[in-house]
Amino acid sequence: MTETFYITTPIYYVNDKPHIGHAYTTILADVLTRFYRNSGADTFFLTGLDEHGQKVQEAAAELSIKPQDHCDKMAPRFMELWEKLHISNDDFIRTTENRHKEVVKNILRLVNDKGDIYEAEYEGLYSVSEERFITDKEAESEEFRDIKKLKEKNYFFRMSKYQHQLIKHIESNPYFIRPDYRKNEILGFLRKPLNDLCISRPKSRLNWGIELPFDKNYVTYVWFDALINYITAAGYNADEKNFKNRWPASCHLIGKDILTTHSVYWPTILMSAGIELPKSIFAHGWWLMDESKMSKSLGNIVNPIDLIDDYGVDPVRYYLMREMVLGQDANFTIDSFIQRYNSDLANDFGNLLSRVTTLINKNYDSRIPNPGILQEQELLIKSSSETLSNSVITMISEMRLNEAIEEIMQFIRSVNKYMEKNAPWKMIKEDKVNAGKILYTAGEALRIGAILLSPVMPKRISILLDILNCEKINYSWGGLKPGNIIEKHDPLFPRIK
Ligand code: MSP
């Protein structure tokens, strides 16, 4: 049996208003899943919500409602956005679900039985917004506004015990943390002694959390709780068969800001619990607005809903996937969006479609002409379509998504050049057979390019494939069927003025 491609997004804070950052990671996971699904892999795509912690408790208190009711009220905003963005997730986990609370308690028991949890009095600087104790050095930086001195008894996880095992794991598994420079960052961090992790909060201070199975006066620290979602949804302790197929996850997709929790806290928790580590953690960069970080205080947060209302879902997906070099930051501007849309989608892609279909509709009774005998130029396009599908698959597995998209567009551009060079619109009157061959070749090349792009723009490509009335999944040459009727259509990507 082929193993499952299991990909996860971070679970988002239920309290947040969904923004472009959430949308980006989720679209990226969706695109990768669709690529693997199209090439026949068994896939499992998880996203969800992080619902415990101080901020939720405070927001609910302000509204004088129960935290759970607050979560239930907020959760649909994410679910509705995912539907709008054509996200094809297989599961949606919320950390307040029983299935998850059971697993967290289970892991806490395991780790405790192993002797990896101890009680200690701790005095230190505490950041309310981050919900954790911070170091003196961190306190000096300007990142933390709401710091107070706090002394309390808590439970600690012996993270330090696994430091060397973790370093060894990272060093011997080059794909465990990607990109490479993030791996080096973590190895650098692990060169210094690793502290143990405070994993509890006294209920007197915070009660919106999962109660510790060994002390009812405490709840679980929200990150310890949240990370475990990845095994809950895979079926840990509930469905052995699923768990065996899905775990270890193929890829935890995260933003660079949550790298330490994922590549230090999470693997050491799994080591203590005796569970295999995920195969890979991939940290992407941030979307910036005018080169600076998007933030509430700057008021420059891009709302994905506004964008898709104005320009359509698939063009927005295309832009986000094409513009960001995975791992690095990227700058978001409406101008670059419009430029990208007009040059790639309206010009290169949309033009090829409308040239082919208009000529076929006018001159061949809307029926796809015969391919005839392929000559040098056509054989070249055919063979480059084969090279293209192979290199796209390789690039996807190496997370070079923007390059894969660019290769597909280069191919489309080369087909446009072929059309211009041979000008079937001129040839049609004297030599309908040869003109038909050119249109068939261009249409078939477009079909293959379109299928390769379909994970990025699932809805528009599906419309395109309906117009061409052809094979929708297979990208080997010949899926366009001579004699099939071409549908009349509006421009697929009308130019933005
Ligand atoms: N709840 C935690 C994750 C727990 S996972 C076990 C959390 N949630 S979050 O709602 O803050 O979402 C974080 C995700 O959104 C991160 O991956 C973060 O990098 C991403 N983004 C937030 N703003 C972003 C941009 N401007 N650009 C790209 N992604 C960014 O952290």
Side-chain angles (χ1 to χ4, degrees):
M1 206 189 122
T2 52
E3 62 183 291
T4 302
F5 175 77
Y6 174 24
I7 190 164
T8 65
T9 72
I11 48 172
Y12 306 112
Y13 291 125
V14 69
N15 236 6
D16 279 0
K17 201 169 165 208
H19 58 68
I20 198 83
H22 304 122
Y24 172 71
T25 319
T26 312
I27 292 171
L28 176 59
D30 186 61
V31 170
L32 295 169
T33 306
R34 286 176 189 267
F35 264 114
Y36 283 92
R37 207 185 280 143
N38 284 358
S39 44
D42 183 28
T43 55
F44 186 66
F45 165 17
L46 173 72
T47 186
L49 296 174
D50 193 350
E51 302 195 338
H52 289 123
Q54 193 132 351
K55 277 178 248 171
V56 174
Q57 179 172 303
E58 281 164 4
E62 239 167 72
L63 298 164
S64 312
I65 58 176
K66 291 197 192 110
Q68 186 65 61
D69 292 341
H70 180 59
C71 294
D72 294 345
K73 218 177 78 199
M74 305 295 272
R77 295 172 319 153
F78 281 91
M79 293 163 156
E80 282 157 17
L81 178 62
W82 301 154
E83 220 176 290
K84 268 200 151 176
L85 292 175
H86 308 153
I87 302 301
S88 60
N89 54 306
D90 298 289
D91 196 352
F92 187 89
I93 191 165
R94 298 178 53 191
T95 51
T96 51
E97 288 173 72
N98 277 334
R99 60 167 171 164
H100 178 66
K101 292 194 256 185
E102 285 312 310
V103 175
V104 172
K105 288 186 182 168
N106 208 297
I107 297 293
L108 281 164
R109 270 187 223 108
L110 270 178
V111 173
N112 193 34
D113 290 349
K114 186 121 182 234
D116 285 345
I117 289 178
Y118 63 91
E119 254 182 272
E121 185 90 50
Y122 187 83
E123 181 170 19
L125 297 171
Y126 185 84
S127 155
V128 179
S129 60
E130 289 282 302
E131 296 177 39
R132 65 177 176 92
F133 285 100
I134 56 174
T135 60
D136 291 343
K137 195 150 175 236
E138 282 177 316
E140 282 164 21
S141 75
E142 281 176 12
E143 276 174 59
F144 306 91
R145 280 161 292 120
D146 37 11
I147 306 169
K148 56 185 182 190
K149 212 167 190 168
L150 209 64
K151 181 177 176 182
E152 63 188 23
K153 193 192 86 174
N154 265 308
Y155 289 89
F156 288 80
F157 165 54
R158 285 186 209 283
M159 194 155 74
S160 55
K161 179 174 156 192
Y162 297 96
Q163 178 166 11
H164 288 290
Q165 197 178 330
L166 178 60
I167 294 173
K168 254 177 62 201
H169 185 86
I170 297 172
E171 283 173 344
S172 48
N173 293 276
Y175 286 117
F176 183 57
I177 302 173
R178 289 187 290 169
D180 243 23
Y181 48 89
R182 298 286 173 215
K183 175 182 82 184
N184 295 333
E185 209 177 285
I186 290 296
L187 283 172
F189 173 77
L190 289 171
R191 242 172 256 132
K192 287 167 268 168
L194 185 62
N195 290 331
D196 289 340
L197 182 68
C198 177
I199 55 149
S200 66
R201 297 293 181 264
K203 278 193 186 168
S204 53
R205 178 153 69 76
L206 169 74
N207 61 32
W208 185 236
I210 301 172
E211 190 179 288
L212 292 185
F214 40 81
D215 190 337
K216 62 176 180 2
N217 296 317
Y218 287 82
V219 296
T220 313
Y221 169 46
V222 69
W223 269 103
F224 193 98
D225 156 0
L227 288 160
I228 290 174
N229 91 86
Y230 301 133
I231 57 171
T232 305
Y236 182 77
N237 243 353
D239 187 330
E240 219 173 298
K241 193 168 149 257
N242 274 342
F243 190 67
K244 210 167 152 252
N245 284 339
R246 293 173 188 161
W247 194 260
S250 315
C251 182
H252 289 319
L253 212 52
I254 57 166
K256 61 181 183 181
D257 52 318
I258 51 176
L259 183 62
T260 314
T261 49
H262 279 81
S263 49
V264 180
Y265 297 8
W266 181 222
T268 52
I269 295 169
L270 288 167
M271 282 170 177
S272 171
I275 301 170
E276 252 187 282
L277 306 196
K279 285 187 208 129
S280 167
I281 297 161
F282 191 98
H284 63 71
W286 275 57
W287 280 99
L288 309 175
M289 187 77 173
D290 302 325
E291 310 290 343
S292 57
K293 202 168 154 173
M294 293 186 197
S295 76
K296 269 188 215 152
S297 51
L298 288 173
N300 62 352
I301 296 181
V302 177
N303 181 347
I305 298 285
D306 295 347
L307 270 183
I308 61 178
D309 284 348
D310 289 349
Y311 304 107
V313 174
D314 281 352
V316 171
R317 289 174 58 118
Y318 181 84
Y319 173 79
L320 294 176
M321 296 302 110
R322 172 63 188 81
E323 285 301 304
M324 189 177 267
V325 178
L326 267 170
Q328 296 172 19
D329 290 345
N331 202 31
F332 187 100
T333 68
I334 292 291
D335 283 352
S336 70
F337 172 83
I338 293 176
Q339 213 174 6
R340 184 56 81 190
Y341 175 97
N342 279 339
S343 73
D344 289 12
L345 300 180
N347 266 3
D348 298 338
F349 203 78
N351 244 351
L352 182 56
L353 172 71
S354 65
R355 272 172 163 176
V356 169
T357 58
T358 313
L359 286 172
I360 293 180
N361 281 331
K362 255 200 188 150
N363 302 287
Y364 298 81
D365 272 344
S366 297
R367 289 187 188 277
I368 294 172
N370 275 313
I373 297 167
L374 306 191
Q375 265 137 4
E376 206 183 329
Q377 291 185 74
E378 289 78 29
L379 288 171
L380 186 68
I381 293 186
K382 181 177 174 218
S383 76
S384 37
S385 80
E386 285 154 8
T387 321
L388 176 71
S389 10
N390 289 331
S391 67
V392 166
I393 293 170
T394 311
M395 287 177 180
I396 296 299
S397 68
E398 294 169 356
M399 299 292 266
R400 291 154 60 203
L401 189 51
N402 64 313
E403 288 174 60
I405 295 174
E406 182 51 25
E407 288 248 335
I408 301 169
M409 291 316 297
Q410 294 279 12
F411 175 68
I412 296 294
R413 279 175 214 128
S414 74
V415 180
N416 270 324
K417 284 211 183 94
Y418 162 76
M419 286 283 278
E420 272 144 34
K421 183 168 165 210
N422 293 285
W425 43 88
K426 282 189 199 151
M427 192 191 282
I428 260 167
K429 280 187 202 99
E430 294 101 57
D431 190 350
K432 213 167 162 182
V433 172
N434 255 323
K437 175 176 70 188
I438 294 160
L439 292 175
Y440 182 91
T441 304
E444 175 60 2
L446 174 64
R447 184 191 73 87
I448 292 173
I451 291 178
L452 289 168
L453 266 186
S454 67
V456 181
M457 300 188 287
K459 285 278 144 56
R460 299 259 177 133
I461 297 296
S462 156
I463 295 172
L464 180 147
L465 297 171
D466 281 340
I467 293 170
L468 294 179
N469 195 356
C470 62
E471 275 258 8
K472 296 197 167 67
I473 297 185
N474 190 347
Y475 39 70
S476 34
W477 193 266
L480 209 54
K481 294 286 170 260
N484 273 10
I485 300 266
I486 294 269
E487 301 290 335
K488 298 244 162 33
H489 63 93
D490 293 327
L492 195 59
F493 298 105
R495 253 190 110 72
I496 301 175
K497 302 255 157 45

